[in-house]
Amino acid sequence: MQIVYHLIVFYLTCHLIWCLFREKKFWNQVSVALVLIMFLLRLFLIK
Amino acid sequence: MRNLKGNFVSALLLLFAIAICFLSALKFLSMQKKEAIFPSRGLTSRKMLSSYFPELKKTWGDTDVYLYEGQEKGGNLLILGGAHANEPAGFMSAVLLIENIQVSTGKIIIVPRANNSGFTHSQPQEGNPQRYSLESPWGRRHFRHGSRLTNPVHQWPDPSIYINPAGQKLSGADSRNLNRCYPGKKTGSLTEKIASGIMELIKKEKIDLALDLHEAAPEYPVINAIVFHENSADLAALALMELQIEGFEFRLEASPLNLRGLSHREWGDHAQIMAILLESANASHGRLKGKTSPALIVEGKDKNYTKAAKLGRLFVPYDEDGIPLKLRVARHLAAVKSILSNLEELYPEKRIEIKNMPSSSELKKVGIGPFLNPPN
Amino acid sequence: MVAIFVLLAMLLKLPIGISLAFSALAGSLLGGEGIGLRHLVEGSFGYFDTILIIVTAMIFMNVLQASGILDTITSILLRTFYKRKLALLLSVMALIMFPGMITGSSTAAVLTTGALVAPVLMKMGLSKVKTGALIAMGGILGMIAPPVNILVMIMGGGVDMPYAGLTLPLLIIVIPLAIVISLWLGYRDIKIIEYEKMKAILPPSYSKKYGFRLYLPLIVVLVLMLGQSVLPRIMPDIGIPAILLLGSLIGLGCGRPFNFFRTTQKAIQQSIPISCILVGVGMFIQIMTLTGARGWILISFLSLPSGLLYLGIATSMPLFGAVSAFGSASILGVPFILALIDKNAIITSSALSAVAGLGDLMPPTAMAGIFAAQVVGEANYFKVLRHCLMPALFQLIMGVAVLHFAPFLDKFI
Ligand SMILES: [Zn+2]
């Protein structure tokens, strides 16, 4: 199951990064970046 | 042009996110390095839990097992610390025993970090420090303060509802709570495998009596307690009387029949051994705690708890002096000692004799540091 | 910290999540903890699993929309219920509650079956905001209803109470509330309509074109959710995010064709504000705990004279729900059960879960309110919350009443 969740997080992380570049408003971009931190840390199995 | 500028800001924010990840990752990963323990000369051998249950090899669930075997045959005792890595009195009591004792009769096996994975992270939103330290004659010694649960990075995801090997329905996060996973499941999750490993150890080493050392919040009803399986009712009752004579107040709690998956229940039911769990009161554990710091863990002083005690909300006395770690460890070791002396009374053939047991009265006086060994 | 939050959110109009994150940072600096980067990031991880559920639920909801499943179900429900008001309201309530009952999550309810019934209610004359309120309340009632009530599990875990024997007390609380609330919100406004009129507003149904496989995503999701709570030994518990994503992927081949990546992207965009709020709240709680502010608040509530204890419960638990209902159950629910330890813990925890569940209506997180607003297409979720006020009051009174009459109920359960 861990692999499945790893893949889910990978898929969503890619979308978050994509979203970060598509988003126009600055504070919305910051919001995406804050959420992205968590996804990156879990993607690399750090936290 | 505007698009380019937008992309530039995005790239900058991405770098910012990566930088924060990197900096916090250094902190998070620093918890993976385990603190050294310097065993006494009485140590006869040292194994890993995986030598009893090979499935654990090369997982974060594998953990050190310290064996002390006497010349004469007697009873076999298992002492488990660190089943919950945020309960330092359990872990420190195990460390003090490892660094001091010699066994002349019987056999003692000590597992200081029963849930090794729990020591590698902290529980979100508890604001706990990653480490606390104690002064010893050989310099400061640092110890990790982990989490009650297995690291989610090592066991992921949690089920929505956890049905433990004993059939009890629990919230999903409890699937990472070692003391809800007994008697374990050999093909199960990492935490269930650790529980299996401990059950295997109990069987292969022919353990007669096992003690599980814990701490809990002062507002929790089962506190300063000896929780016993019905197999060890006489032993627990006699030990309690002796402890009261020595001036330690404990409450005696029978292991509830309908609360499954806990060590005191399943060790007794599945391995037919005498099983006892000990709890001491730790303010850093509680929901009412004030400022969270290493000092709160070591010195155990908390104004909120003093206030709560006055309001009659606590199940232990709690005054301005708090309940320091040295006292919590002293209580655990006093209980171990009196349980062993009464074991001999009840079952002379299961006698266990220890030399150099740290004395509780000394501990209360001089603290834990002087009982720690020099690094070697 | 609260002052800084108000300043940033109200005066500078920064997004709520970011304001929370900055005030947490400020709290850490003022509390003498430095920047406390590790604490800030660690705090946000308290909601990592919740965010996964939210994002995947949002994807699933968008898939239901894009593939035409939503329209089809709406048309079926309309055909069945267009002239039966009472039956419509009660069955709609049951439908909304269902995913919440089996997953214990109000989000799962609001974003799945809540999204299914919303168009029907609106076409039958219920206003956007009242529909939102009905869905939000249904989600919360579903979260409290048996068989799975995670709030009780969390509280039970804190006092070593096994999760057993809760079905009856929870039903005693939930069934009257479900009936009263659905009628209160809907009975006056829902209009019985003529067949011709109904025909005119009927959305296109795709059930002829795609047949049975159109319903496959819904069936898979419901079966997997149900399976993990009813047949836990046979059905694997793959967790809500995986179930929802699996359902979404199946939806790819079951109805109108759509671009899965674009749908995901849309879902991510919709879920960013709430995810960011949760990140901010997580940081905020971690720093509050670190500096001792959390303990101070708790001890203040516990210092209330015992006559005011119910008042304390009735105000603090929904208020604390601003950090999520689960947080409220864990942080406040456990001390309150201990304070009421002379009563039956099963009844106490059931009643407290009804009170704590209301936390999902409490801004800034207000998960049930925010998602319900999104489902009905209302930009300002406070408008939805306003209509939740009376139903929430019913629920609060019910919770406190059960708490008060616990010794009496004890004889029957
Ligand atoms: Zn414990």
Side-chain angles (χ1 to χ4, degrees), chain B residues 84 87 148 214-215 279:
Chain B
H84 293 145
E87 296 170 7
R148 180 179 174 80
H214 284 259
E215 294 204 84
E279 295 270 15

Side-chain angles (χ1 to χ4, degrees), chain B residues 23 122 124-128 130 159-161 163 168-169 180 219-221 287-292 304 308 313, chain C residues 31 33 38-39 42-43 46-47 148 160 162 228 232 237 282 286 289-290 292 294-295 298-299 302 330-331 338-339:
Chain B
L23 290 173
S122 330
Q125 303 184 351
E126 278 302 318
N128 281 324
Q130 292 184 305
S160 348
I161 316 147
I163 296 169
Q168 186 107 54
K169 254 192 199 178
R180 296 293 179 278
E219 71 267 27
Y220 179 70
R287 289 169 171 78
L288 308 178
K289 67 183 174 185
K291 193 172 169 59
T292 313
N304 287 359
R313 297 279 183 211
Chain C
E33 301 287 340
R38 191 266 300 182
H39 280 299
E42 185 171 288
Y47 294 117
V148 176
D160 280 350
Q228 69 186 21
D237 188 340
Q286 176 102 0
T289 313
L290 177 66
R294 187 186 83 177
L298 267 172
I299 193 80
L302 286 180
S330 163
I331 296 169
L338 292 175

Side-chain angles (χ1 to χ4, degrees), chain B residues 175-191:
Chain B
S175 65
R176 290 183 284 123
N177 181 347
L178 176 59
N179 201 24
R180 296 293 179 278
C181 289
Y182 294 111
K185 196 172 155 193
K186 290 187 173 168
T187 53
S189 67
L190 178 65
T191 317

Side-chain angles (χ1 to χ4, degrees), chain C residues 77-329:
Chain C
L77 286 174
L78 260 181
R79 276 169 193 279
T80 328
F81 288 117
Y82 71 97
K83 53 183 178 186
R84 276 172 288 178
K85 191 146 82 160
L86 195 68
L88 170 80
L89 277 171
L90 294 183
S91 50
V92 154
M93 192 55 154
L95 258 178
I96 303 171
M97 282 169 62
F98 185 68
M101 290 163 68
I102 54 181
T103 62
S105 143
S106 67
T107 312
V110 172
L111 287 179
T112 55
T113 48
L116 286 182
V117 300
V120 184
L121 291 169
M122 290 194 281
K123 280 179 196 292
M124 299 278 288
L126 198 60
S127 67
K128 220 163 43 167
V129 283
K130 279 199 177 174
T131 307
L134 185 64
I135 295 174
M137 291 312 297
I140 289 175
L141 287 174
M143 170 169 77
I144 298 162
V148 176
N149 180 328
I150 293 183
L151 298 165
V152 171
M153 284 184 186
I154 290 172
M155 289 188 265
V159 295
D160 280 350
M161 177 192 85
Y163 187 76
L166 284 144
T167 311
L168 199 59
L170 288 175
L171 284 180
I172 291 177
I173 295 172
V174 167
I175 291 178
L177 282 173
I179 295 171
V180 169
I181 290 175
S182 54
L183 296 185
W184 169 270
L185 281 169
Y187 200 76
R188 233 176 327 154
D189 296 20
I190 294 239
K191 302 274 179 304
I192 292 170
I193 47 178
E194 310 265 301
Y195 183 72
E196 297 305 317
K197 248 180 151 177
M198 184 273 286
K199 267 281 196 206
I201 55 169
L202 210 56
S205 165
Y206 298 86
S207 68
K208 281 219 183 77
K209 190 166 171 201
Y210 298 105
F212 173 73
R213 75 188 159 131
L214 186 62
Y215 308 105
L216 215 55
L218 267 180
I219 292 169
V220 166
V221 165
L222 291 183
V223 165
L224 283 174
M225 280 183 176
L226 197 65
Q228 69 186 21
S229 71
V230 177
L231 303 165
R233 297 196 182 274
I234 304 157
M235 291 292 257
D237 188 340
I238 63 175
I240 302 173
I243 291 177
L244 290 168
L245 216 54
L246 185 67
S248 310
L249 281 172
I250 291 173
L252 203 53
C254 292
R256 248 179 351 199
F258 62 95
N259 182 331
F260 194 77
F261 288 94
R262 210 167 288 157
T263 311
T264 310
Q265 190 57 219
K266 195 173 153 204
I268 294 255
Q269 264 178 343
Q270 287 170 342
S271 56
I272 282 294
I274 178 72
S275 305
C276 185
I277 289 173
L278 288 176
V279 169
V281 172
M283 294 177 171
F284 202 82
I285 298 182
Q286 176 102 0
I287 301 297
M288 288 226 309
T289 313
L290 177 66
T291 56
R294 187 186 83 177
W296 178 81
I297 294 172
L298 267 172
I299 193 80
S300 308
F301 275 115
L302 286 180
S303 320
L304 290 173
S306 61
L308 289 176
L309 186 65
Y310 286 154
L311 191 70
I313 289 172
T315 52
S316 66
M317 285 191 91
L319 278 175
F320 228 79
V323 305
S324 94
F326 295 158
S328 177

